Amino acid sequence: MTERITKSMAKNIYYGGGLFALLIFIGLSFDSVRQIPERSIETKMTESVVAGKHLWEKNNCVGCHTIIGEGAYFAPEMMNVFQRRGGGDESAFKAYMRGWMAAQPLDIPHRRKMPQFNLSDGEVDSLSDFLIWTSKVNANNWPPTIEG
Amino acid sequence: MRYSSQAVAKPYFIFALILLAGEILFGLLMGIQYIYGDFLFPLIPFNVLRMVHTNLLIVLLLFGFMGATYYLIPEETESELWSPKLAIITFWIFAAAGVATILGYLFVPYAKLTEITFNNILPTMGREFLEQPLPTKLGIVLVVVLYIFNVLMTVIKGRKTVITTVLLTGLLGLAVFFLFAFYLPTNLVVDKFFWWFTVHLWVEATWMLILGAILAFVLIKVTGVDREHIDKWLYLIVALTLLSGILGTGHHFYYMGAPEYWLWIGSIFSAAEPLPLFFMILFAFTMARERKIQHDNKIALTWAKGTAVMAFLGAGVWGFMHTLAPVNMFTHGTQLTAAHGHLSFYGAYIMIVFTMVSYAMPILRGRPHGNGPKSQALELKSFWMMNIGMVGLTLALTLAGIVQIFDQRVGTELIGFMESQESISGIYTIRALFGFLVFAGLFTYFASFFVKEKAQ
């Protein structure tokens, strides 16, 4: 089939097609950025949520965990940990998180280890707020089950 | 070596290979930590091993691409490199920045690292693959800009070919899309959305152009096939790559907060992504069959054909497995992604670096006909060891992903992540063993450079 395609045709598909795809992609990206605030309930993105995201990054949490399916697959998914460990109850989840973070690393031989990050109670609460906010993002019904 | 300035490629190749040894070593350590969770803890936690592993990969590929470019650009443009001195200066800047960054990861806690590298002024850190401190990211920009400038100036004063054009568009894309690494929005979903602009558009669009250009160059050299013929193939492959790959970015936007239409757009366009990779196989094998010369460097052609096949398997087949939205609902965020990541990065990018090194390095060392037969025989052994190792570990990770999906996501009797991971422990052991085979293969490859041939 390649006999029927000339070099100049192939060249035109490269530039024309590439540019065309890029323009559609840019257009759709603008639309996505317009829609994301509503889909992620940006109005509920409090200062504490933003601080929690910053802590998430500062401690490279994504180096082990996944969040909304992206990350390192070595430790559990964090998008629905609020439902899984807090049962959807904010104060129960925050209490759980304080206890959990303080208990690290767990002294169980051969178990994967989470380091001790020495976060203050306020910082752990921010992290919880960030994860609670994340759990409400409209990710097209992902994750499929509570186990992540 | 036709142009003396091609010699600047040599340190780039050597350093890329050294970094590759480091990358695999840290991969092995992670592989062991997957089996014995407390291995090396608290000395090097998993997230640090992983940063070193993935960042070494990115940096070594950039070194490989730069070396390949500096080697092929003088021959393509039929003129000396605009400034070989600049190429050597950027080599040292990049090598120093790379080593400093890795040492920073290993010896400074990450939170502390963010504090001492001005992350509070312009936050960019703490995202997968883009963990580099701000000074490193700025260093990458500096090095890449100077590198592209050097190539561009050489192309302007010399002959322009399809290979130089495709290569330059690829390099331009590489530079432009890296700029998104400096944008870290406070909304996690917007953050993820633009993060893919760097990550996906690098590996599934612009880097593919660089790969295509390097592959075409080596094929011209070792087969002697008419350039006109090869040009048409190259244009066709990169055209299909952009047509499928750019909108194919949508396959990352299914389940992370972006709108629903990406389910369709991502599925349709990314389903076409294996097509250019399949064409690459046809390309490599057709050129090999129609070759006009019998180049003594047979192993370079073997690597070139291998690159096409393994890129198709890793990026094409393993990508397609989980690229359709209904499938991705279950595979998103599992070991299946890791399986695809390993074979595609190896099959496409590591192998194109091997292809170029195997073709160019003997010439740079004063052996225009390639290494001797004994050396090539050993290199062929390393080729199979690494390929079998990579396919083996990919199959193990695929199986791990499937078990994980059935444990956590399908049916009613579900078990949690940690429990599921324990049930996969045996598979992780197999994965690690194949990893050791890859490592042994790499050292066999190194050994092939030092084989003493009898004087002919």
Side-chain angles (χ1 to χ4, degrees):
Chain A
M1 67 163 274
T2 53
E3 272 66 41
R4 276 182 280 136
I5 299 171
T6 64
K7 181 176 154 188
S8 75
M9 277 164 75
K11 183 180 173 182
N12 290 338
I13 305 173
Y14 175 53
Y15 286 111
L19 198 65
F20 182 67
L22 194 62
L23 287 176
I24 295 179
F25 181 69
I26 291 171
L28 290 174
S29 294
F30 271 104
D31 182 70
S32 295
V33 171
R34 198 180 51 81
Q35 286 198 41
I36 286 172
E38 200 187 316
R39 295 180 60 93
S40 60
I41 321 178
E42 212 172 76
T43 48
K44 294 235 171 112
M45 223 168 73
T46 60
E47 251 173 61
S48 178
V49 170
V50 174
K53 179 173 186 275
H54 186 61
L55 285 164
W56 170 269
E57 287 151 1
K58 192 176 169 180
N59 292 288
N60 193 28
C61 306
V62 83
C64 293
H65 291 277
T66 51
I67 188 160
I68 326 190
E70 287 157 9
Y73 331 110
F74 188 68
E77 166 64 39
M78 287 291 109
M79 182 191 191
N80 57 355
V81 70
F82 172 50
Q83 284 88 357
R84 194 165 57 240
R85 295 284 179 250
D89 181 296
E90 295 198 9
S91 57
F93 180 61
K94 283 186 180 172
Y96 169 83
M97 278 286 284
R98 282 194 188 190
W100 178 259
M101 294 300 287
Q104 302 307 316
L106 299 182
D107 190 22
I108 305 169
H110 295 332
R111 189 186 194 275
R112 295 180 191 176
K113 293 281 183 286
M114 176 156 157
Q116 175 52 250
F117 291 103
N118 299 308
L119 302 180
S120 69
D121 283 350
E123 286 176 319
V124 176
D125 286 349
S126 287
L127 211 47
S128 302
D129 282 331
F130 169 60
L131 294 175
I132 292 167
W133 172 83
T134 305
S135 75
K136 296 185 173 140
V137 167
N138 175 358
N140 293 331
N141 299 321
W142 196 90
T145 71
I146 196 156
E147 294 301 345
Chain B
M1 194 165 60
R2 221 174 298 165
Y3 300 90
S4 62
S5 55
Q6 286 177 292
V8 299
K10 201 171 168 179
Y12 281 89
F13 289 148
I14 292 172
F15 201 62
L17 290 174
I18 293 171
L19 294 183
L20 178 60
E23 190 220 337
I24 300 176
L25 173 69
F26 278 83
L28 286 173
L29 297 178
M30 290 160 83
I32 298 171
Q33 224 171 53
Y34 254 99
I35 310 165
Y36 304 104
D38 48 6
F39 176 66
L40 285 182
F41 188 89
L43 191 62
I44 324 180
F46 183 85
N47 71 311
V48 175
L49 291 177
R50 187 172 194 265
M51 270 195 296
V52 175
H53 179 64
T54 58
N55 283 234
L56 278 176
L57 169 70
I58 297 165
V59 173
L60 92 86
L61 289 177
L62 291 176
F63 270 104
F65 292 164
M66 288 177 187
T69 312
Y70 289 135
Y71 184 84
L72 72 80
I73 278 293
E75 280 191 27
E76 282 297 299
T77 59
E78 296 183 330
S79 78
E80 293 286 357
L81 196 63
W82 181 71
S83 171
K85 196 180 243 171
L86 185 61
I88 291 298
I89 293 171
T90 52
F91 169 82
W92 286 108
I93 296 175
F94 199 21
V99 170
T101 306
I102 299 300
L103 292 179
Y105 289 159
L106 285 172
F107 296 108
V108 184
Y110 195 72
K112 179 91 186 148
L113 197 63
T114 65
E115 281 163 21
I116 59 176
T117 58
F118 318 105
N119 193 57
N120 52 339
I121 297 170
L122 179 64
T124 64
M125 295 170 74
R127 291 179 294 167
E128 203 186 353
F129 311 130
L130 301 180
E131 296 93 347
Q132 307 83 26
L134 187 61
T136 309
K137 286 197 179 90
L138 292 172
I140 293 174
V141 171
L142 177 74
V143 168
V144 167
V145 166
L146 291 175
Y147 153 64
I148 295 176
F149 181 69
N150 207 350
V151 174
L152 189 66
M153 293 305 282
T154 315
V155 171
I156 286 173
K157 73 183 169 86
R159 180 177 68 152
K160 287 133 196 95
T161 67
V162 176
I163 290 178
T164 62
T165 309
V166 171
L167 185 64
L168 271 173
T169 35
L171 294 181
L172 189 71
L174 182 151
V176 168
F177 290 119
F178 185 64
L179 296 180
F180 289 95
F182 292 91
Y183 179 51
L184 177 49
T186 48
N187 184 324
L188 177 72
V189 179
V190 183
D191 170 9
K192 282 170 175 287
F193 192 83
F194 287 108
W195 178 80
W196 283 115
F197 276 47
T198 301
V199 176
H200 174 97
L201 291 174
W202 263 21
V203 299
E204 287 173 61
T206 58
W207 285 20
M208 289 298 289
L209 308 190
I210 300 168
L211 185 161
I214 300 172
L215 187 65
F217 173 81
V218 175
L219 285 174
I220 287 178
K221 297 293 159 183
V222 297
T223 65
V225 168
D226 183 33
R227 184 180 282 274
E228 275 295 306
H229 197 39
I230 283 195
D231 285 351
K232 188 177 77 176
W233 276 94
L234 178 57
Y235 266 137
L236 202 61
I237 288 168
V238 294
L240 286 172
T241 301
L242 293 188
L243 274 173
S244 59
I246 293 176
L247 284 164
T249 316
H251 66 184
H252 301 294
F253 297 158
Y254 298 156
Y255 308 116
M256 44 65 86
E260 277 90 358
Y261 50 73
W262 290 110
L263 298 172
W264 287 98
I265 292 170
S267 295
I268 292 166
F269 285 90
S270 67
E273 280 188 48
L275 205 62
L277 295 158
F278 183 70
F279 269 61
M280 213 181 279
I281 297 186
L282 290 182
F283 175 46
F285 282 81
T286 309
M287 296 308 115
R289 203 177 53 235
E290 295 174 359
R291 64 175 174 266
K292 302 279 188 292
I293 55 168
Q294 294 292 339
H295 201 288
D296 291 329
N297 192 342
K298 291 194 180 63
I299 190 75
L301 183 58
T302 307
W303 280 110
K305 289 195 279 188
T307 303
V309 173
M310 297 300 282
F312 174 71
L313 273 181
V317 177
W318 254 266
F320 185 78
M321 266 182 209
H322 52 141
T323 205
L324 300 176
V327 179
N328 196 258
M329 166 62 92
F330 292 95
T331 59
H332 185 47
T334 65
Q335 293 294 334
L336 214 66
T337 315
H340 163 54
H342 279 87
L343 200 61
S344 54
F345 266 103
Y346 170 78
Y349 299 118
I350 297 290
M351 282 193 64
I352 194 65
V353 172
F354 278 136
T355 304
M356 192 63 181
V357 170
S358 286
Y359 170 70
M361 205 57 170
I363 302 173
L364 290 168
R365 298 171 77 208
R367 301 167 185 170
H369 300 287
N371 287 328
K374 261 167 71 184
S375 161
Q376 288 197 34
L378 191 62
E379 193 176 335
L380 186 63
K381 242 179 229 148
S382 79
F383 171 91
W384 286 112
M385 285 166 82
M386 286 191 271
N387 279 324
I388 292 169
M390 286 310 296
V391 170
L393 77 84
T394 301
L395 285 170
L397 286 175
T398 307
L399 194 59
I402 292 169
V403 174
Q404 199 183 351
I405 290 163
F406 280 95
D407 279 352
Q408 290 177 250
R409 294 182 178 175
V410 179
T412 46
E413 280 177 47
L414 304 172
I415 56 174
F417 177 89
M418 295 303 286
E419 216 184 318
S420 168
Q421 290 295 301
E422 247 171 70
S423 77
I424 303 171
S425 175
I427 303 173
Y428 287 139
T429 308
I430 296 168
R431 183 269 291 268
L433 292 176
F434 278 110
F436 279 104
L437 181 60
V438 177
F439 204 42
L442 181 68
F443 279 93
T444 310
Y445 181 79
F446 289 162
S448 78
F449 282 94
F450 302 101
V451 171
K452 289 225 166 23
E453 304 276 350
K454 266 186 240 155
Q456 290 175 345

